[in-house]
Structure formats: structure tokens, C-alpha cells
Amino acid sequence: MKDYNLDELGLSKEELFSKVDINTMDSEKITAPKYSYWRSVFRVFFRKKINIIILALLVVVVLISYIYPAIFSYDRFGNLLSSTAKHLSPSAAIQQFGFSIHYILGTGSAGQSTFDAVWYGARISISLAFVCAAINMTVGVVVGAVWGFSKKVDVVMTEVYNIIGNIPYVLLIAVMVMLFSASFWTMVLAMTITGWLYIAYFIRTQVIIIRDREYNLASKCLGTGTVKIALKNILPFMTSIIVTLLATELPSYISYEVFLSYIGMGLSDMSLGRLIYEAESAMVTPGWQFEFWSPVAVASIITIVLYVVGQNLGDAADPRTHM
């Protein structure tokens, strides 16, 4: 090691070496950088450009679904009395009515704008998916956390699940729709009356895996209540699992609605499923295909994009990807 001359440094001995007092408060300070979980999640998520593209597509579809029907009113029977306005292809509709965004997808069986009908139906289907997901996920996650942590609750809820869980979900929804009027809130009731139970059972299984870890046992020994341990110690650890589960739930409700409407047991409102059901004959009729494939394409885009965004966000929510 090179020896330095104090005169060359231009510093006195007192300036180079000084006594430092011990400060107990300073010694407790953590010098590590601050860590924000959600900031780290979004950093990992937006690191992939494909996620930005897919998320932008989802935002555009959702905004159009809510903003477009609010600006332009949709008249299902606007051209019902005009025989020349029905089942027009996009080119024929533009030729007859002039170029307009309303007719870029042609017209339907009542002369209505297919473009308007698709976005009006998309708003209903997306709203149904969001409402059902919010109810089922909230109830299912909370009940599942308590169910998996409390052995007394586990005994009761397991029997409930064994009875109700063996009833086909689609059949139960169909029966509920038949008993009541096929309205929006009837469909919400049908999809949520037992839908949360399947989510709760999945969460219960995940909770059991981490229930008996040391920090949970320590909290229990200190007198912490079961509900508080489930909500404070367990659920935050399962964030990535919950987000991934939500990614599969959201598009599934749109799929159920489309399927039930396609077999004639869905909403009475003009949702995407109802549009597909009413345009079934147009699928094989030359020149009418846009009536059928337009709502099919929009429903497919919404479900696929919701699923991909949710899955990628679930991966980003895993703390192991933050390293």
C-alpha cells in the first residue's frame, strides 16, 4: 500500500482522524432503499412490451364499450319498417346510408346498426363480468381464508361444498334464470349465489398449505384472532394467487353469459351473447356473416385480453419475480 505524506494531501492530522461519538438513534436507521410491493409489481409487469400493448387494447375496448353507447343512442328497431335496410353488408349499408361509423359493420335483421349493437352489448357483458367477479372474489377470498385457517369452520364448509359443489354450475345458473326473469340482476344473482363457493374452496386449499408456518403459530400463541391472522398474515402472501384466479374468473362470466344466451337461456337485454344467439342464422347465409362474426370477434377479444392481462399481472405479483 502506498504511504501518503500528510503535507501532500494538504490536510492536518486532526482533519483526517477525528473521534466520532456513538449515536444509538443513528445506529437504528436502515440504509437499505425503500421497497414498494405494488411499485415493484408494475415495474415487472410493464417491463414486457407485449403487456403494454395488450393492456392498451383492453383499455381501448372497455372505453369504447362505455363511452360509445353513452354518446350515440342505440335503436334496436330503428329501420324495422324499411325492407331494404335489413341484413346489409358493410359496403351495401354505406352505399345506401352514406359513409358513417354506424354502418361500417352493416345492418342486422331489423335494419339496426351492427356496430352500435356490438358495443352496446359489450357494455352489458363487461359490466356483468365485473359485477360478478367483484362479488364472488370478495366473498370467496374472505370466506376461503377463514375456512382454511379455522378447523371448526372447515368441518361445516366442507360438507356444504360437498353438497352444492356437485351441482353443475351452468345447470344451476340456467335454473335460476328460468325461475326469474332473464334480467341483468337475475344473471348476477345466478352467477354469484354459489359462484363464490368454488373460489372459497380454492383459497382454502392454498391457505392450508401456509396455515401452520412459524409466524402464524406465533401470532396464534400471542392471542391474535383467527380472522385477523387470515386477513393480515395469509391473504397478503397469496396476492399473486388471487390475481391469477381473478384472471380466469373475469372472462369466464362473459363465456357463461354468451353460452347461455346462445342456447336461449341468457339475458333478455341485447348483450353479446344475445346478439350471437339472434344472428345464428346469419352465420351460414351469404352476405349476412358480419351480423354473427362481429359480436363473436368482440367477445373473443375481450375474454382473451382479460385472461392474458390477468395472467401476466399474476406472474408480476409473485415476489420471486422481483429479484
Side-chain angles (χ1 to χ4, degrees), residues 37 41 45 239-245 247 307-319 321-322:
Y37 172 74
V41 168
F45 179 79
T239 302
S240 61
I241 297 174
I242 295 172
V243 173
T244 304
L245 181 60
Y307 179 79
V308 173
V309 168
Q311 286 290 331
N312 291 345
L313 186 59
D315 293 340
D318 190 343
T321 63
H322 302 179

Side-chain angles (χ1 to χ4, degrees), residues 11 20 24 42 49 53 61 70 81 87 92 103 115 131 147 157 181 203 210-211 230 238 244 281 297:
L11 298 172
V20 178
T24 55
F42 290 121
K49 293 183 179 179
I53 297 173
V61 170
L81 299 179
H87 301 296
Y103 298 107
F115 186 82
V131 171
W147 181 359
M157 291 301 299
S181 61
I203 296 297
I210 61 175
R211 178 182 62 190
M238 299 173 58
T244 304
S281 60

Side-chain angles (χ1 to χ4, degrees), residues 172-302:
L172 183 62
I173 296 174
V175 171
M176 290 291 295
V177 172
M178 291 180 64
L179 291 177
F180 304 98
S181 61
S183 63
F184 179 87
W185 292 108
T186 298
M187 186 65 73
V188 171
L189 176 63
M191 288 187 176
T192 58
I193 192 169
T194 60
W196 60 270
L197 185 61
Y198 305 96
I199 297 174
Y201 184 78
F202 176 81
I203 296 297
R204 170 251 184 194
T205 304
Q206 300 300 317
V207 168
I208 289 177
I209 297 175
I210 61 175
R211 178 182 62 190
D212 296 328
R213 292 185 177 176
E214 290 80 0
Y215 58 90
N216 289 323
L217 294 176
S219 296
K220 191 172 183 180
C221 293
L222 292 172
T224 307
T226 300
V227 175
K228 189 173 182 179
I229 293 176
L231 297 180
K232 298 293 185 179
N233 291 9
I234 296 178
L235 285 184
F237 185 82
M238 299 173 58
T239 302
S240 61
I241 297 174
I242 295 172
V243 173
T244 304
L245 181 60
L246 179 61
T248 60
E249 288 295 312
L250 270 173
S252 70
Y253 298 123
I254 297 178
S255 301
Y256 283 131
E257 185 273 320
V258 170
F259 173 74
L260 290 171
S261 297
Y262 186 71
I263 63 177
M265 302 180 68
L267 291 171
S268 57
D269 300 325
M270 293 306 296
S271 63
L272 288 175
R274 187 74 180 181
L275 289 173
I276 295 172
Y277 169 71
E278 293 196 351
E280 182 180 1
S281 60
M283 178 176 59
V284 294
T285 305
W288 295 10
Q289 289 91 342
F290 272 90
E291 299 175 39
F292 178 82
W293 291 111
S294 296
V296 168
V298 173
S300 301
I301 291 172
I302 293 172

